Amino acid sequence: MARVLLDVTMSLDGFIAGPDVSVEHPMGVGGLRLHQWIFDASANEVDAEIVRGMRAGTGAVVLGRRTFDVGIDVWTDTPFPVPCFVLTHDPLAERVEKSGTFTFVTDVRDAFARATAAAGDRDVRLMGAAVGQQFLAVGLVDEVRVQLAPVLLGAGRRLFAHLGDAPIELDRVATVDSPHVTHLRYLVRRPSTPATEVHPPRPAGE
């Protein structure tokens, strides 16, 4: 069965994008600094292996409407060559691209069911803080992978916000360093009680 991965690059002060995310600045102002390790991955085998694993292991993507809106012109395709599901309050008609299809869904559990079915034995990759928060809140994330960049952004989009007061227990399974980033992997312990249904916040998230 597919695993659901929340896999993001984060600054040391907890931001996964800079401030003022827009079509002109899809990663926010200054946010591209976070992904410098990906741009330079060919120079370091540790980082190159991580990037290869991301590409080979992804079988489906769930992203938010904001991520779709600011990213579509940059990607000129789907972000990975797999089925992509956009979690939003304002769905559009299905959009077919060269490498995959964007399907718009309005419910987090529906997105989970569709993405895991589409991924088969590969991974479902979550993109965007709002989507990651919603999947974490209802206990549908199997693994959190944080690529910790050596920078303090100071402002922007925080990853671990809006999760409520209940702790989410994690088990660290790997730590790998390169000169450019620290790769952290954690398994998410399943909650002992049924999770409460969570819907995307208004306005539609990332």
Side-chain angles (χ1 to χ4, degrees):
M1 182 176 176
R3 298 176 303 171
V4 177
L5 307 183
L6 177 54
D7 188 347
V8 296
T9 301
M10 186 173 72
S11 67
L12 189 59
D13 51 350
F15 298 103
I16 65 168
D20 301 321
V21 172
S22 65
V23 172
E24 292 74 25
H25 299 283
M27 285 293 296
V29 176
L32 279 178
R33 165 63 183 85
L34 295 174
H35 288 172
Q36 192 63 46
W37 72 274
I38 298 177
F39 306 143
D40 296 337
S42 60
N44 183 271
E45 182 55 30
V46 168
D47 296 336
E49 180 62 27
I50 295 290
V51 171
R52 287 193 294 267
M54 290 167 57
R55 292 172 178 164
T58 300
V61 172
V62 179
L63 63 156
R65 179 62 184 270
R66 181 181 297 177
T67 301
F68 170 82
D69 286 342
V70 302
I72 186 64
D73 289 339
V74 177
W75 305 320
T76 63
D77 198 354
T78 49
F80 290 82
V82 297
C84 295
F85 301 88
V86 182
L87 186 58
T88 176
H89 282 295
D90 301 302
L92 303 176
E94 187 173 85
R95 177 166 173 161
V96 179
E97 300 293 336
K98 297 186 295 291
S99 303
T101 300
F102 289 105
T103 301
F104 295 79
V105 295
T106 59
D107 178 83
V108 105
R109 296 189 186 278
D110 185 31
F112 169 81
R114 288 171 179 252
T116 52
D121 59 358
R122 294 197 290 168
D123 299 325
V124 174
R125 184 168 300 278
L126 307 180
M127 293 182 64
V131 164
Q133 290 159 13
Q134 291 169 70
F135 270 70
L136 277 171
V138 296
L140 294 178
V141 176
D142 294 299
E143 188 172 328
V144 176
R145 297 183 181 181
V146 175
Q147 327 302 333
L148 192 60
V151 62
L152 301 172
L153 283 187
R157 185 72 167 169
R158 290 194 180 276
L159 176 60
F160 299 119
H162 313 298
L163 293 177
D165 298 328
I168 298 173
E169 296 288 344
L170 309 173
D171 294 312
R172 191 182 66 185
V173 294
T175 302
V176 181
D177 290 316
S178 84
H180 312 293
V181 68
T182 300
H183 305 280
L184 305 170
R185 290 180 56 188
Y186 300 90
L187 295 180
V188 181
R189 296 185 195 173
R190 292 300 187 188
S192 57
T193 55
T196 303
E197 186 72 27
V198 172
H199 295 282
R202 290 188 178 275
E206 288 186 286

